[in-house]
Amino acid sequence: MVDLDLEKFFDRVNHDILMSRLARHVEDKRLLKLVRRFLQADMMQEGVCVRRDEGTPQGGPLSPLLANLLLDDLDKELERRGHCFCRYADDCNIYVHSQKAGERVLASVTQYLERKLKLKVNRMKSAVAPVWERKFLGYRLLSRGKLGIAVQSVARLKEKVRQLTKRNRGRSLERTVSELNSLIRGWVAYFRMAQAKGTMGDLDAWMRRKLRCMKLKQCKRAVGIARFLMSRGVERNKAWMLGGSGKGWWCKSLSPQAHRAMGKNWFNEIGLDGFADRYRKLERFA
């Protein structure tokens, strides 16, 4: 697979080339003038208005449409060459039969983009590699055309969960669970097409341990931990044993006492959505 990465794509779009492509489809001069003004609108940079000579406004609703209009030339060129490819906005993967063929395609397509469309290919991030080693829109391609979740996507999700479950963040458990639920629903909905039952289960186990850790620290002292554990059915001596333990919070969260007190029922009581449960619900309708 040839994995193409365009360097600062939305910042480097050539206005003249883009307007010439738009003029192929739009005859109304007033609309063309309006789009040109949209492209050349000044941007605020460190409190100073700066003139824009290239690129499209970041986050502008028209920018993705204009990007597709410009890169339609790339699609037509790849179709003319007979390549199998997939492109979404500025992300593009081209599928070839061998490493050598991929290197040739990468060189020729890079030349086409830089000479014809005046775009810059990021040579550090672009690469030729087996399909399962690269990602596309957060997914990775598995054998027989199945989809998996890219390792980088899981790593980014875990970093977001870490930020939400920081023990010194000063958020109540209820608010943290609400924020996690929003994250879980959006993330699972996006990756519902992936073959990821094992990944979802692993994420559940890891996230629940983070929440156990957070809850134990919120109990603060040994007496608070022991009282909470006993209220959840843990024997008195075992509850005090964990409360008085000198181990770290992460280590305590893995203890049998913590698992008994904060099992699946406890997470249901506090209203936590699970990755695996949410994935199974969406899988039925996929």
Side-chain angles (χ1 to χ4, degrees), residues 64 68 71 75 85-93 136-137 190:
N68 273 332
L71 289 174
D75 296 345
F85 68 95
C86 187
R87 184 182 67 78
Y88 183 86
D90 58 328
D91 289 326
C92 182
N93 287 349
F136 184 65
L137 304 178
Y190 182 80

Side-chain angles (χ1 to χ4, degrees), residues 222-285:
V223 62
I225 294 174
R227 284 175 179 170
F228 169 71
L229 294 176
M230 286 188 289
S231 72
R232 298 295 305 174
V234 178
E235 294 84 352
R236 181 182 179 86
N237 63 327
K238 291 183 179 179
W240 278 102
M241 187 184 301
L242 184 64
S245 171
K247 295 179 180 179
W249 299 110
W250 184 244
C251 203
K252 287 179 181 179
S253 66
L254 194 60
S255 65
Q257 296 97 313
H259 274 262
R260 182 175 173 182
M262 294 175 277
K264 185 71 182 291
N265 289 336
W266 183 75
F267 287 107
N268 290 336
E269 288 171 14
I270 64 175
L272 180 70
D273 263 348
F275 285 97
D277 288 343
R278 175 65 52 173
Y279 178 74
R280 279 193 293 269
K281 288 176 185 176
L282 292 177
E283 196 178 28
R284 293 174 196 159
F285 302 102

Side-chain angles (χ1 to χ4, degrees), residues 90-103:
D90 58 328
D91 289 326
C92 182
N93 287 349
I94 307 167
Y95 304 97
V96 294
H97 291 291
S98 67
Q99 181 78 16
K100 189 172 288 186
E103 290 168 0

Side-chain angles (χ1 to χ4, degrees), residues 18 27 105 184 208 225 265 284-285:
L18 178 56
E27 295 181 358
V105 170
I184 291 167
R208 286 171 183 159
I225 294 174
N265 289 336
R284 293 174 196 159
F285 302 102

Side-chain angles (χ1 to χ4, degrees), residues 77 183 249:
E77 177 65 16
L183 176 63
W249 299 110

Side-chain angles (χ1 to χ4, degrees), residues 157-166 169 172-188 206-208 210-211 214 267 270-275:
L157 171 74
K158 283 190 170 184
E159 184 55 36
K160 289 178 182 177
V161 173
R162 286 190 189 98
Q163 294 300 319
L164 291 177
T165 56
K166 273 187 175 180
R169 191 164 169 253
S172 67
L173 185 65
E174 292 75 17
R175 183 169 177 182
T176 299
V177 167
S178 176
E179 292 172 341
L180 284 172
N181 283 343
S182 297
L183 176 63
I184 291 167
R185 289 166 191 158
W187 198 82
V188 176
W206 177 80
M207 180 181 64
R208 286 171 183 159
K210 294 287 290 183
L211 286 171
M214 181 180 178
F267 287 107
I270 64 175
L272 180 70
D273 263 348
F275 285 97

